[in-house]
Amino acid sequence: MELEENGKLPFLGMNVITNGCRLDTTVYRKPTDTGLLLHYHSHVDARYKRSLLNTMLNRAFKLSSTWKFFHEECERLKEIFSRLRYPDDLVQSTICQFIESKVSEDSHTQVANKREALIRIVLPFKDQKSANVVRKQLADLSRKINADISPVYTSRKIKDEIKVKEDKPPLVSQQCVVYSFQCSVCDAGYVGYTCRHLHQRIEEHKGSAIGNHLREQHDMEPEDIAQSFRILRKCQNKFDCLIFEMFFIQELKPTLNKQCDSIRAKLFV
């Protein structure tokens, strides 16, 4: 681990410098660096020597956050290549060509960005004739202010005109629910769950402890008992049903009247 010293921290061949609330970067060389590169008198094609100059300049340009740092690095490169017997004219001309290319790229990029800057105006669409008139007027305005203005027409969607209301399924069509039964005559109650449709479970309850309770305690036939059921919780799966069933049983247990022993364990009287 390396720590910052005098506001500088070397990192991956780059020197990170603290400058107030911002960070500047420049090329970093180790203290043991000797500047050993390809010698000009080496038996290597001249194009590789010029490419080496461009490579070092491009590295300096990429790692330097300001033109000042880039200029300082160029001066160091001149000294390094001078010791390697590179002609001063070759080094100076390569640096000038590199800087000219970068300045030219910046100017082209700025022009391209200026051209690509498009002003869009959102307008409601009335008819094609009106749209053509507006487009022509905006084209005249674009030439006057030297900016590209483009209209974007919008229209009301059918879904905005026709609001579809989704009908909720009736009580007996719900499935994977925790439900409760409350006797309409006494305080008998029941809490259960089903992963099937509730109307299927209600039909089964006509022959279960609930149906027996109505026949034996109130002398009633459990024909229309769907009105006595209500949904306590809509669940995602069977596990959720079990959890919420236990919760509602514990919650409702103190309020239920315990007078009917004929109803099974979940039936509290």
Side-chain angles (χ1 to χ4, degrees), residues 18-264:
T18 303
N19 184 10
C21 60
R22 56 169 289 180
L23 296 176
D24 288 330
T25 58
T26 185
V27 177
Y28 171 73
R29 289 186 178 84
K30 293 182 179 180
T32 57
D33 181 76
T34 59
L36 182 61
L37 297 171
L38 180 65
H39 200 279
Y40 187 75
H41 293 159
S42 300
H43 294 283
V44 178
D45 194 288
R47 60 195 175 109
Y48 292 109
K49 300 170 184 177
R50 183 178 290 274
S51 296
L52 175 60
L53 279 167
N54 285 314
T55 299
M56 299 303 293
L57 288 171
N58 189 66
R59 175 173 178 263
F61 183 81
K62 294 292 186 181
L63 296 181
S64 300
S65 59
T66 64
W67 282 101
K68 176 185 176 182
F69 291 142
F70 176 68
H71 174 72
E72 293 174 355
E73 181 61 23
C74 287
E75 294 299 321
R76 283 191 288 267
L77 290 176
K78 288 180 182 180
E79 296 178 3
I80 292 174
F81 283 104
S82 177
R83 292 196 299 267
L84 297 172
R85 297 293 188 269
Y86 280 71
D88 292 339
D89 294 341
L90 175 62
V91 176
Q92 190 63 37
S93 63
T94 304
I95 293 176
C96 291
Q97 291 175 7
F98 181 85
I99 293 176
E100 289 176 359
S101 66
K102 292 302 178 182
V103 173
S104 178
E105 287 179 5
D106 290 342
S107 61
H108 286 313
T109 302
Q110 291 176 2
V111 172
N113 291 338
K114 185 176 181 181
R115 290 178 179 176
E116 291 176 359
L118 182 63
I119 302 174
R120 299 186 183 275
I121 300 179
V122 181
L123 299 172
F125 181 81
K126 183 179 180 182
D127 52 57
Q128 191 59 48
K129 184 177 180 180
S130 301
N132 293 336
V133 173
V134 172
R135 187 175 288 108
K136 183 178 179 180
Q137 293 175 346
L138 290 178
D140 295 337
L141 180 60
S142 298
R143 287 190 293 268
K144 292 179 180 179
I145 65 175
N146 194 25
D148 293 332
I149 303 177
S150 176
V152 178
Y153 295 102
T154 60
S155 59
R156 292 182 63 84
K157 306 299 181 182
I158 295 179
K159 66 178 182 179
D160 296 331
E161 301 290 344
I162 305 175
K163 294 184 179 180
V164 180
K165 184 177 180 181
E166 182 180 357
D167 295 332
K168 293 184 178 181
L171 177 70
V172 294
S173 297
Q174 299 281 346
Q175 56 183 346
C176 199
V177 295
V178 177
Y179 63 90
S180 68
F181 167 79
Q182 184 64 47
C183 181
S184 59
V185 180
C186 64
D187 294 332
Y190 173 84
V191 175
Y193 79 90
T194 179
C195 293
R196 299 173 295 164
H197 288 89
L198 183 57
H199 67 84
Q200 295 176 310
R201 188 67 180 131
I202 293 176
E203 288 297 321
E204 294 175 352
H205 275 307
K206 293 181 180 180
S208 68
I210 292 178
N212 294 335
H213 167 76
L214 294 176
R215 295 187 189 94
E216 296 173 3
Q217 301 296 326
H218 306 299
D219 195 21
M220 296 172 55
E221 288 297 326
E223 295 298 334
D224 188 16
I225 59 175
Q227 302 298 327
S228 300
F229 285 83
R230 68 186 183 95
I231 295 177
L232 300 178
R233 180 81 181 192
K234 175 72 174 168
C235 302
Q236 298 294 328
N237 48 54
K238 184 177 180 179
F239 180 76
D240 289 345
C241 289
L242 289 169
I243 295 298
F244 285 106
E245 179 192 26
M246 296 299 298
F247 170 77
F248 285 113
I249 287 176
Q250 296 300 324
E251 183 180 8
L252 297 177
K253 187 174 181 180
T255 63
L256 298 177
N257 190 348
K258 302 177 182 179
Q259 295 180 352
C260 184
D261 296 331
S262 63
I263 300 179
R264 61 191 178 100

